[in-house]
Amino acid sequence: MSLVVALKTLTLVLGGSITFYAFRAYRRTKSTAFRALTFGFGAVTLGAILAGVVDQLLPLDPSLALVVESLFTTIGFAIILYSLYVD
């Protein structure tokens, strides 16, 4: 159980860092692609954290955590893919 918490914490730190630097790049360049990239990585990171909260803190079925994480990961990757094609 503590390994999951450690990995979710690492996901928050790394995902938050990527999101932060993508946002800085967006602010510097005003690029639509960087803005989308920021939202994409933010969604993936948020999904991992929400899944951890659902799993560890809420009295819900643990499989719901997997659904939450998968949903946010799918949305985040779709946004990241979009960021590669937008001008």
Short mmCIF file of all heavy atoms in Angstrom, two decimals, residues 37-87:
data_model
loop_
_atom_site.label_atom_id
_atom_site.label_comp_id
_atom_site.label_asym_id
_atom_site.label_seq_id
_atom_site.Cartn_x
_atom_site.Cartn_y
_atom_site.Cartn_z
N LEU A 37 -0.75 21.21 -24.67
CA LEU A 37 0.16 20.28 -23.99
C LEU A 37 0.04 20.43 -22.47
O LEU A 37 0.03 19.43 -21.74
CB LEU A 37 1.60 20.55 -24.44
CG LEU A 37 2.64 19.53 -24.06
CD1 LEU A 37 2.37 18.19 -24.74
CD2 LEU A 37 4.03 20.04 -24.42
N THR A 38 -0.08 21.66 -22.01
CA THR A 38 -0.26 21.91 -20.57
C THR A 38 -1.52 21.23 -20.05
O THR A 38 -1.49 20.55 -19.02
CB THR A 38 -0.34 23.44 -20.31
OG1 THR A 38 0.87 24.05 -20.75
CG2 THR A 38 -0.56 23.73 -18.83
N PHE A 39 -2.62 21.40 -20.77
CA PHE A 39 -3.87 20.78 -20.34
C PHE A 39 -3.79 19.25 -20.41
O PHE A 39 -4.33 18.56 -19.55
CB PHE A 39 -5.05 21.27 -21.19
CG PHE A 39 -5.53 22.63 -20.80
CD1 PHE A 39 -5.42 23.68 -21.69
CD2 PHE A 39 -6.11 22.87 -19.56
CE1 PHE A 39 -5.87 24.95 -21.34
CE2 PHE A 39 -6.55 24.12 -19.21
CZ PHE A 39 -6.43 25.18 -20.10
N GLY A 40 -3.12 18.73 -21.42
CA GLY A 40 -3.00 17.28 -21.55
C GLY A 40 -2.23 16.65 -20.40
O GLY A 40 -2.70 15.69 -19.78
N PHE A 41 -1.04 17.18 -20.13
CA PHE A 41 -0.27 16.63 -19.01
C PHE A 41 -0.95 16.91 -17.68
O PHE A 41 -0.87 16.10 -16.75
CB PHE A 41 1.16 17.17 -19.02
CG PHE A 41 2.05 16.44 -19.97
CD1 PHE A 41 2.56 17.06 -21.09
CD2 PHE A 41 2.38 15.11 -19.74
CE1 PHE A 41 3.38 16.38 -21.97
CE2 PHE A 41 3.20 14.42 -20.62
CZ PHE A 41 3.70 15.06 -21.74
N GLY A 42 -1.62 18.04 -17.58
CA GLY A 42 -2.38 18.33 -16.36
C GLY A 42 -3.48 17.32 -16.12
O GLY A 42 -3.71 16.87 -14.99
N ALA A 43 -4.17 16.92 -17.19
CA ALA A 43 -5.25 15.92 -17.07
C ALA A 43 -4.70 14.57 -16.64
O ALA A 43 -5.29 13.90 -15.78
CB ALA A 43 -6.01 15.80 -18.39
N VAL A 44 -3.60 14.15 -17.24
CA VAL A 44 -2.99 12.86 -16.87
C VAL A 44 -2.57 12.88 -15.40
O VAL A 44 -2.84 11.93 -14.65
CB VAL A 44 -1.80 12.52 -17.79
CG1 VAL A 44 -1.05 11.31 -17.29
CG2 VAL A 44 -2.28 12.30 -19.22
N THR A 45 -1.94 13.96 -14.99
CA THR A 45 -1.49 14.09 -13.59
C THR A 45 -2.67 14.14 -12.64
O THR A 45 -2.68 13.45 -11.61
CB THR A 45 -0.62 15.36 -13.44
OG1 THR A 45 0.47 15.29 -14.35
CG2 THR A 45 -0.09 15.48 -12.02
N LEU A 46 -3.67 14.93 -12.98
CA LEU A 46 -4.86 15.03 -12.13
C LEU A 46 -5.55 13.68 -11.99
O LEU A 46 -6.00 13.32 -10.90
CB LEU A 46 -5.82 16.07 -12.71
CG LEU A 46 -7.11 16.30 -11.93
CD1 LEU A 46 -6.82 16.83 -10.53
CD2 LEU A 46 -8.01 17.26 -12.70
N GLY A 47 -5.62 12.93 -13.08
CA GLY A 47 -6.25 11.61 -13.03
C GLY A 47 -5.53 10.66 -12.09
O GLY A 47 -6.17 9.91 -11.34
N ALA A 48 -4.21 10.69 -12.12
CA ALA A 48 -3.44 9.83 -11.23
C ALA A 48 -3.69 10.19 -9.76
O ALA A 48 -3.84 9.32 -8.91
CB ALA A 48 -1.96 9.92 -11.56
N ILE A 49 -3.74 11.49 -9.50
CA ILE A 49 -3.96 11.93 -8.12
C ILE A 49 -5.38 11.62 -7.67
O ILE A 49 -5.60 11.14 -6.55
CB ILE A 49 -3.65 13.44 -8.00
CG1 ILE A 49 -2.18 13.69 -8.34
CG2 ILE A 49 -3.98 13.96 -6.61
CD1 ILE A 49 -1.19 12.78 -7.66
N LEU A 50 -6.36 11.88 -8.52
CA LEU A 50 -7.75 11.58 -8.16
C LEU A 50 -7.95 10.09 -7.93
O LEU A 50 -8.69 9.69 -7.02
CB LEU A 50 -8.71 12.08 -9.24
CG LEU A 50 -8.91 13.58 -9.33
CD1 LEU A 50 -9.84 13.93 -10.49
CD2 LEU A 50 -9.46 14.13 -8.02
N ALA A 51 -7.28 9.27 -8.74
CA ALA A 51 -7.38 7.82 -8.54
C ALA A 51 -6.81 7.43 -7.18
O ALA A 51 -7.38 6.58 -6.48
CB ALA A 51 -6.64 7.09 -9.65
N GLY A 52 -5.73 8.07 -6.80
CA GLY A 52 -5.15 7.81 -5.47
C GLY A 52 -6.10 8.22 -4.36
O GLY A 52 -6.24 7.50 -3.36
N VAL A 53 -6.75 9.35 -4.52
CA VAL A 53 -7.71 9.81 -3.52
C VAL A 53 -8.89 8.85 -3.43
O VAL A 53 -9.31 8.47 -2.33
CB VAL A 53 -8.19 11.25 -3.85
CG1 VAL A 53 -9.39 11.64 -3.01
CG2 VAL A 53 -7.06 12.24 -3.66
N VAL A 54 -9.43 8.45 -4.58
CA VAL A 54 -10.56 7.52 -4.59
C VAL A 54 -10.16 6.21 -3.91
O VAL A 54 -10.92 5.66 -3.10
CB VAL A 54 -11.05 7.26 -6.03
CG1 VAL A 54 -12.01 6.07 -6.09
CG2 VAL A 54 -11.72 8.50 -6.60
N ASP A 55 -8.97 5.73 -4.22
CA ASP A 55 -8.52 4.44 -3.68
C ASP A 55 -8.20 4.51 -2.19
O ASP A 55 -8.56 3.60 -1.44
CB ASP A 55 -7.28 3.98 -4.45
CG ASP A 55 -6.83 2.59 -4.01
OD1 ASP A 55 -7.69 1.70 -3.95
OD2 ASP A 55 -5.63 2.42 -3.74
N GLN A 56 -7.54 5.58 -1.75
CA GLN A 56 -7.05 5.64 -0.38
C GLN A 56 -8.00 6.31 0.61
O GLN A 56 -8.01 5.95 1.78
CB GLN A 56 -5.70 6.39 -0.34
CG GLN A 56 -4.60 5.71 -1.10
CD GLN A 56 -4.15 4.41 -0.44
OE1 GLN A 56 -3.95 4.35 0.76
NE2 GLN A 56 -4.04 3.36 -1.24
N LEU A 57 -8.76 7.29 0.16
CA LEU A 57 -9.51 8.11 1.11
C LEU A 57 -11.03 7.94 1.06
O LEU A 57 -11.70 8.27 2.04
CB LEU A 57 -9.18 9.59 0.88
CG LEU A 57 -7.70 9.98 1.03
CD1 LEU A 57 -7.51 11.45 0.75
CD2 LEU A 57 -7.19 9.62 2.41
N LEU A 58 -11.56 7.48 -0.05
CA LEU A 58 -13.01 7.38 -0.15
C LEU A 58 -13.48 5.93 0.02
O LEU A 58 -12.82 5.01 -0.46
CB LEU A 58 -13.48 7.91 -1.51
CG LEU A 58 -13.16 9.38 -1.79
CD1 LEU A 58 -13.65 9.77 -3.18
CD2 LEU A 58 -13.79 10.28 -0.74
N PRO A 59 -14.60 5.75 0.68
CA PRO A 59 -15.11 4.39 0.89
C PRO A 59 -15.86 3.86 -0.34
O PRO A 59 -17.06 3.57 -0.28
CB PRO A 59 -16.03 4.55 2.10
CG PRO A 59 -16.55 5.95 1.97
CD PRO A 59 -15.42 6.74 1.37
N LEU A 60 -15.16 3.78 -1.45
CA LEU A 60 -15.76 3.33 -2.70
C LEU A 60 -15.05 2.07 -3.19
O LEU A 60 -13.99 1.71 -2.69
CB LEU A 60 -15.65 4.42 -3.77
CG LEU A 60 -16.32 5.75 -3.45
CD1 LEU A 60 -15.94 6.80 -4.48
CD2 LEU A 60 -17.83 5.59 -3.39
N ASP A 61 -15.65 1.42 -4.16
CA ASP A 61 -15.05 0.24 -4.77
C ASP A 61 -13.68 0.61 -5.35
O ASP A 61 -13.58 1.56 -6.13
CB ASP A 61 -15.98 -0.28 -5.87
CG ASP A 61 -15.49 -1.55 -6.53
OD1 ASP A 61 -14.47 -2.11 -6.09
OD2 ASP A 61 -16.14 -1.97 -7.50
N PRO A 62 -12.63 -0.11 -4.99
CA PRO A 62 -11.29 0.22 -5.48
C PRO A 62 -11.16 0.19 -7.01
O PRO A 62 -10.32 0.88 -7.57
CB PRO A 62 -10.39 -0.84 -4.85
CG PRO A 62 -11.14 -1.33 -3.66
CD PRO A 62 -12.59 -1.20 -4.01
N SER A 63 -12.00 -0.58 -7.68
CA SER A 63 -11.92 -0.61 -9.15
C SER A 63 -12.34 0.73 -9.76
O SER A 63 -11.98 1.04 -10.89
CB SER A 63 -12.76 -1.75 -9.72
OG SER A 63 -14.12 -1.55 -9.45
N LEU A 64 -13.08 1.53 -9.00
CA LEU A 64 -13.45 2.86 -9.48
C LEU A 64 -12.21 3.73 -9.66
O LEU A 64 -12.17 4.56 -10.58
CB LEU A 64 -14.44 3.52 -8.52
CG LEU A 64 -14.95 4.90 -8.92
CD1 LEU A 64 -15.70 4.83 -10.26
CD2 LEU A 64 -15.84 5.47 -7.85
N ALA A 65 -11.21 3.54 -8.84
CA ALA A 65 -9.96 4.29 -8.97
C ALA A 65 -9.31 4.03 -10.33
O ALA A 65 -8.81 4.95 -10.98
CB ALA A 65 -8.99 3.93 -7.84
N LEU A 66 -9.34 2.80 -10.78
CA LEU A 66 -8.79 2.45 -12.07
C LEU A 66 -9.58 3.10 -13.20
O LEU A 66 -9.01 3.60 -14.18
CB LEU A 66 -8.76 0.93 -12.25
CG LEU A 66 -8.18 0.41 -13.55
CD1 LEU A 66 -6.73 0.85 -13.72
CD2 LEU A 66 -8.29 -1.11 -13.59
N VAL A 67 -10.89 3.15 -13.06
CA VAL A 67 -11.74 3.80 -14.06
C VAL A 67 -11.44 5.30 -14.13
O VAL A 67 -11.28 5.87 -15.22
CB VAL A 67 -13.24 3.56 -13.76
CG1 VAL A 67 -14.13 4.40 -14.66
CG2 VAL A 67 -13.58 2.08 -13.88
N VAL A 68 -11.32 5.93 -12.97
CA VAL A 68 -11.02 7.37 -12.92
C VAL A 68 -9.67 7.65 -13.59
O VAL A 68 -9.55 8.54 -14.44
CB VAL A 68 -11.02 7.88 -11.46
CG1 VAL A 68 -10.42 9.27 -11.35
CG2 VAL A 68 -12.43 7.85 -10.88
N GLU A 69 -8.66 6.89 -13.21
CA GLU A 69 -7.33 7.10 -13.78
C GLU A 69 -7.32 6.85 -15.29
O GLU A 69 -6.74 7.64 -16.05
CB GLU A 69 -6.30 6.21 -13.10
CG GLU A 69 -4.89 6.50 -13.53
CD GLU A 69 -3.86 5.83 -12.66
OE1 GLU A 69 -4.19 4.86 -11.95
OE2 GLU A 69 -2.71 6.29 -12.69
N SER A 70 -7.98 5.81 -15.73
CA SER A 70 -8.03 5.50 -17.16
C SER A 70 -8.76 6.59 -17.94
O SER A 70 -8.34 6.95 -19.05
CB SER A 70 -8.71 4.15 -17.38
OG SER A 70 -7.95 3.12 -16.80
N LEU A 71 -9.83 7.11 -17.39
CA LEU A 71 -10.58 8.18 -18.05
C LEU A 71 -9.72 9.42 -18.24
O LEU A 71 -9.62 9.96 -19.34
CB LEU A 71 -11.84 8.52 -17.24
CG LEU A 71 -12.65 9.72 -17.75
CD1 LEU A 71 -13.24 9.41 -19.13
CD2 LEU A 71 -13.73 10.08 -16.76
N PHE A 72 -9.07 9.86 -17.16
CA PHE A 72 -8.24 11.06 -17.25
C PHE A 72 -7.01 10.84 -18.13
O PHE A 72 -6.59 11.75 -18.83
CB PHE A 72 -7.84 11.54 -15.85
CG PHE A 72 -8.88 12.39 -15.19
CD1 PHE A 72 -9.92 11.81 -14.48
CD2 PHE A 72 -8.83 13.77 -15.27
CE1 PHE A 72 -10.89 12.59 -13.87
CE2 PHE A 72 -9.79 14.57 -14.66
CZ PHE A 72 -10.83 13.97 -13.96
N THR A 73 -6.45 9.65 -18.10
CA THR A 73 -5.30 9.34 -18.95
C THR A 73 -5.71 9.39 -20.42
O THR A 73 -5.01 9.96 -21.26
CB THR A 73 -4.71 7.97 -18.60
OG1 THR A 73 -4.26 8.00 -17.24
CG2 THR A 73 -3.53 7.62 -19.50
N THR A 74 -6.86 8.82 -20.73
CA THR A 74 -7.35 8.84 -22.11
C THR A 74 -7.60 10.27 -22.59
O THR A 74 -7.18 10.65 -23.69
CB THR A 74 -8.64 8.01 -22.23
OG1 THR A 74 -8.36 6.67 -21.82
CG2 THR A 74 -9.19 8.02 -23.64
N ILE A 75 -8.27 11.05 -21.78
CA ILE A 75 -8.54 12.45 -22.13
C ILE A 75 -7.22 13.22 -22.28
O ILE A 75 -7.04 13.96 -23.25
CB ILE A 75 -9.45 13.11 -21.08
CG1 ILE A 75 -10.85 12.51 -21.14
CG2 ILE A 75 -9.50 14.63 -21.26
CD1 ILE A 75 -11.74 12.89 -19.97
N GLY A 76 -6.31 13.03 -21.33
CA GLY A 76 -5.03 13.72 -21.38
C GLY A 76 -4.22 13.37 -22.62
O GLY A 76 -3.67 14.25 -23.28
N PHE A 77 -4.16 12.08 -22.96
CA PHE A 77 -3.42 11.68 -24.15
C PHE A 77 -4.07 12.20 -25.42
O PHE A 77 -3.38 12.55 -26.38
CB PHE A 77 -3.26 10.16 -24.20
CG PHE A 77 -2.20 9.64 -23.27
CD1 PHE A 77 -2.24 8.32 -22.85
CD2 PHE A 77 -1.16 10.43 -22.82
CE1 PHE A 77 -1.26 7.81 -22.01
CE2 PHE A 77 -0.18 9.94 -21.97
CZ PHE A 77 -0.23 8.63 -21.56
N ALA A 78 -5.39 12.27 -25.44
CA ALA A 78 -6.08 12.84 -26.61
C ALA A 78 -5.71 14.32 -26.77
O ALA A 78 -5.45 14.79 -27.89
CB ALA A 78 -7.59 12.68 -26.46
N ILE A 79 -5.64 15.04 -25.68
CA ILE A 79 -5.25 16.46 -25.73
C ILE A 79 -3.79 16.60 -26.15
O ILE A 79 -3.45 17.48 -26.95
CB ILE A 79 -5.53 17.15 -24.38
CG1 ILE A 79 -7.02 17.15 -24.07
CG2 ILE A 79 -4.98 18.57 -24.39
CD1 ILE A 79 -7.36 17.58 -22.65
N ILE A 80 -2.92 15.74 -25.63
CA ILE A 80 -1.51 15.78 -26.02
C ILE A 80 -1.37 15.49 -27.51
O ILE A 80 -0.61 16.17 -28.22
CB ILE A 80 -0.67 14.79 -25.17
CG1 ILE A 80 -0.60 15.29 -23.73
CG2 ILE A 80 0.73 14.61 -25.75
CD1 ILE A 80 -0.06 14.26 -22.74
N LEU A 81 -2.11 14.51 -28.01
CA LEU A 81 -2.08 14.22 -29.44
C LEU A 81 -2.55 15.43 -30.24
O LEU A 81 -1.93 15.81 -31.24
CB LEU A 81 -2.97 13.01 -29.74
CG LEU A 81 -3.05 12.59 -31.21
CD1 LEU A 81 -1.68 12.16 -31.72
CD2 LEU A 81 -4.06 11.46 -31.37
N TYR A 82 -3.60 16.07 -29.79
CA TYR A 82 -4.08 17.29 -30.44
C TYR A 82 -2.99 18.36 -30.45
O TYR A 82 -2.80 19.06 -31.46
CB TYR A 82 -5.33 17.80 -29.72
CG TYR A 82 -5.76 19.18 -30.15
CD1 TYR A 82 -6.44 19.37 -31.34
CD2 TYR A 82 -5.48 20.30 -29.35
CE1 TYR A 82 -6.84 20.65 -31.74
CE2 TYR A 82 -5.87 21.57 -29.74
CZ TYR A 82 -6.54 21.73 -30.93
OH TYR A 82 -6.92 22.98 -31.32
N SER A 83 -2.25 18.48 -29.35
CA SER A 83 -1.20 19.51 -29.28
C SER A 83 -0.10 19.31 -30.32
O SER A 83 0.57 20.26 -30.70
CB SER A 83 -0.58 19.55 -27.87
OG SER A 83 0.35 18.52 -27.68
N LEU A 84 0.06 18.09 -30.78
CA LEU A 84 1.09 17.81 -31.79
C LEU A 84 0.65 18.26 -33.19
O LEU A 84 1.49 18.38 -34.09
CB LEU A 84 1.42 16.33 -31.80
CG LEU A 84 2.04 15.80 -30.51
CD1 LEU A 84 2.16 14.28 -30.57
CD2 LEU A 84 3.38 16.45 -30.23
N TYR A 85 -0.65 18.49 -33.38
CA TYR A 85 -1.16 18.84 -34.70
C TYR A 85 -1.64 20.27 -34.81
O TYR A 85 -1.81 20.77 -35.91
CB TYR A 85 -2.32 17.90 -35.08
CG TYR A 85 -1.82 16.51 -35.38
CD1 TYR A 85 -1.93 15.50 -34.44
CD2 TYR A 85 -1.21 16.23 -36.60
CE1 TYR A 85 -1.45 14.23 -34.72
CE2 TYR A 85 -0.73 14.97 -36.88
CZ TYR A 85 -0.86 13.98 -35.93
OH TYR A 85 -0.38 12.74 -36.19
N VAL A 86 -1.87 20.93 -33.69
CA VAL A 86 -2.39 22.29 -33.73
C VAL A 86 -1.26 23.27 -34.04
O VAL A 86 -0.11 23.05 -33.70
CB VAL A 86 -3.09 22.64 -32.40
CG1 VAL A 86 -2.10 22.81 -31.28
CG2 VAL A 86 -3.95 23.88 -32.52
N ASP A 87 -1.61 24.37 -34.71
CA ASP A 87 -0.62 25.40 -35.02
C ASP A 87 -0.64 26.51 -34.00
O ASP A 87 -1.57 26.92 -33.48
CB ASP A 87 -0.89 26.01 -36.39
CG ASP A 87 -0.47 25.06 -37.49
OD1 ASP A 87 0.45 24.27 -37.27
OD2 ASP A 87 -1.10 25.14 -38.56
#
